[in-house]
């Protein structure tokens, strides 16, 4: 066997819109519009610069039933670049590709080899002593174990299996083409190039290597951190190295700030400045989309809730300053708890005390919650659609959501009493 190298990538999702980014003045809208395309260009650039012998794409090249052929034409233009460099590409359809009109109708350049969706097949690269086995998705939902019907390993060849799968199941992903590590090991292959799971994960280190490379560009806050492909070097038929290569052009991060020992809003902003600066440095010049989560028991709790808009805009301003326009505050989540001791106020014979007592009782008594849900049913129907959608949506049909809103109401009452000095008379 000769020595060679290849790139293993998956879950490209070309032209998939990045979701969850709220627009505001100064936010880097243009820099994220073509993020998946720019990341894919980085993939092709890397293959050419490293003189990679071939590229593997383990499914989900596209992002569903897009009818805009410009997405497909962009892919073809990048494949032509690889064709000029004599780099072939071997790909399978994933669950998103299966329903794509582009996948079904667009003719690909001669250097792109797509595996059958009807049964597993093998492409042999005689110059390198490589046999690549794979099967694509014929439909979006494939629930059978495809590995069982993959060909046996080819003797005296380096065997690679390409598979779009959830393996034994992963949170947040549909359970497609399920299989176990033992199923894959039984085939006797040297490397399993997996796709579908968007987080990089090495399932088996040696004999065979079984790897999810993750997607090449994070698309929302559930896809945080470094995203890219895996560069594999094989020497004399044995895997010599596996290298993760970052390709993403915008990075998603979560910034968790513990407000437990913070008593002033300015101090909280100083902590945020420090942590945002650290994240920006780690991104090495990439734009960032950051979700800020505030947690911990703090005297600021009620103030943060009452002055939420002011807080968010201060954090956005801070992000603009630190990142020179390259940090986008995706969302601010306030998960702090209060330190104010108001038990005495709750026991006083005042109208406010009665309200606080009712909120406390309702939070603990499911029958009261059910009565409130019934009372609020008409309000729920009257709410405009925009208030019923998203993570902060109003849902007066759900007891848990109502309980959360009651706690927020209590916090606001306590905050305003603390800053005004009123005792609920």
């Amino acid at each position: 066997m000769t020595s060679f190298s290849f790139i293993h990538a998956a879950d490209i999702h070309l032209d998939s819109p990045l979701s969850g980014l709220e627009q505001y003045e100064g936010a880097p809208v243009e820099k994220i519009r073509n993020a998946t395309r720019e990341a894919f260009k980085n993939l092709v650039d890397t293959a050419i610069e490293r003189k990679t012998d071939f590229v593997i794409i383990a499914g989900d090249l596209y992002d569903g039933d897009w009818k805009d052929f410009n997405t497909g034409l962009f892919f073809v233009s990048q494949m032509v670049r690889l064709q000029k460099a004599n780099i072939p590409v071997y790909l399978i359809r994933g669950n998103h590709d299966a329903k794509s009109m582009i996948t079904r109708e667009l003719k690909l350049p001669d250097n792109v080899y797509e595996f059958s969706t009807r049964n597993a097949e093998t492409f042999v690269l005689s110059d390198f002593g490589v046999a690549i086995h794979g099967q694509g998705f014929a439909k979006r939902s494939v629930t059978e174990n495809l590995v069982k019907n993959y060909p046996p390993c080819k003797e005296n060849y380096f065997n690679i299996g390409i598979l779009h799968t959830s393996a034994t199941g992963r949170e947040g992903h549909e359970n497609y083409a399920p299989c176990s590590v033992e199923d894959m090991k039984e085939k006797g292959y040297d490397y399993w190039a997996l796709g579908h799971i968007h987080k990089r994960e090495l399932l088996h280190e040696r004999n065979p290597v079984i790897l999810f490379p993750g997607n090449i560009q994070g698309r929302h806050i559930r896809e945080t951190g470094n995203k890219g492909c895996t560069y594999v070097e094989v020497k004399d038929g044995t895997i010599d190295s596996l290298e993760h290569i970052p390709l993403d052009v915008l990075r998603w991060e979560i910034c968790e700030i513990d407000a437990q020992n913070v008593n002033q809003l300015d101090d909280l902003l100083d902590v945020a400045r420090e942590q945002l600066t650290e994240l920006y440095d780690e991104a090495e010049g990439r734009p960032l989309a950051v979700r800020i989560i505030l947690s911990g028991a703090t005297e600021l709790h009620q103030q943060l809730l009452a002055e939420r808009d002011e807080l968010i805009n201060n954090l956005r301003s801070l992000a603009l300053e630190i990142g020179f326009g390259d940090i986008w505050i995706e969302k601010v989540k306030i998960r702090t708890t209060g330190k104010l001791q108001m038990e005495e106020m709750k026991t006083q014979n005042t109208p406010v005390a009665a309200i606080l007592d009712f909120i406390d009782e309702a939070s603990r008594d499911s029958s009261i919650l059910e009565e409130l849900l019934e009372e609020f049913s008409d309000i729920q129907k009257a709410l405009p659609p925009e208030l019923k959608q998203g993570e902060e949506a109003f849902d007066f049909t759900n007891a848990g959501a109502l309980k959360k809103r009651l706690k927020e109401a209590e916090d606001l009452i306590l905050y305003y009493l603390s800053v005004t000095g009123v005792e609920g008379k």
Side-chain angles (χ1 to χ4, degrees), residues 57-68:
I57 300 176
D60 282 359
L61 171 62
Y62 300 116
D63 195 54
D65 195 16
W66 295 106
K67 297 179 181 179
D68 184 355

Side-chain angles (χ1 to χ4, degrees), residues 228-249:
C229 65
T230 297
Y231 178 73
V232 184
E233 287 189 303
V234 178
K235 294 184 178 179
D236 298 323
T238 301
I239 294 175
D240 185 65
S241 65
L242 299 172
E243 179 187 354
H244 173 74
I245 301 176
L247 301 172
D248 51 344
V249 296

Side-chain angles (χ1 to χ4, degrees), residues 13-73:
H13 292 281
L14 277 178
D15 287 346
S16 171
L18 304 192
S19 60
L21 290 167
E22 297 176 356
Q23 284 192 263
Y24 56 87
E25 191 66 33
V29 179
E30 292 303 321
K31 293 186 178 181
I32 62 92
R33 202 178 297 277
N34 294 316
T36 55
R37 288 195 181 199
E38 293 303 315
F40 192 65
K41 284 181 183 177
N42 288 343
L43 171 64
V44 174
D45 290 343
T46 300
I48 294 172
E49 289 166 6
R50 298 205 175 198
K51 299 181 179 178
T52 303
D53 292 297
F54 56 93
V55 172
I56 289 173
I57 300 176
D60 282 359
L61 171 62
Y62 300 116
D63 195 54
D65 195 16
W66 295 106
K67 297 179 181 179
D68 184 355
F69 276 85
N70 286 324
T71 302
L73 292 174

Side-chain angles (χ1 to χ4, degrees), residues 311-369:
L311 169 69
I312 292 173
N313 285 319
N314 272 313
L315 289 169
R316 287 172 173 173
S317 176
L318 188 64
L320 289 169
E321 177 189 348
I322 295 168
F324 306 101
D326 279 347
I327 301 179
W328 192 325
I329 301 301
E330 177 261 356
K331 197 162 288 184
V332 177
K333 305 286 282 186
I334 301 174
R335 294 177 178 167
T336 53
T337 55
K339 279 186 174 180
L340 291 175
Q341 300 298 317
M342 293 290 183
E343 290 306 315
E344 181 179 351
M345 182 174 294
K346 289 182 181 180
T347 59
Q348 293 174 355
N349 187 23
T350 65
V352 171
I355 293 172
L356 293 173
D357 185 59
F358 175 78
I359 290 175
D360 185 54
E361 186 179 358
S363 298
R364 292 182 283 104
D365 190 328
S366 59
S367 64
I368 296 178
L369 282 176

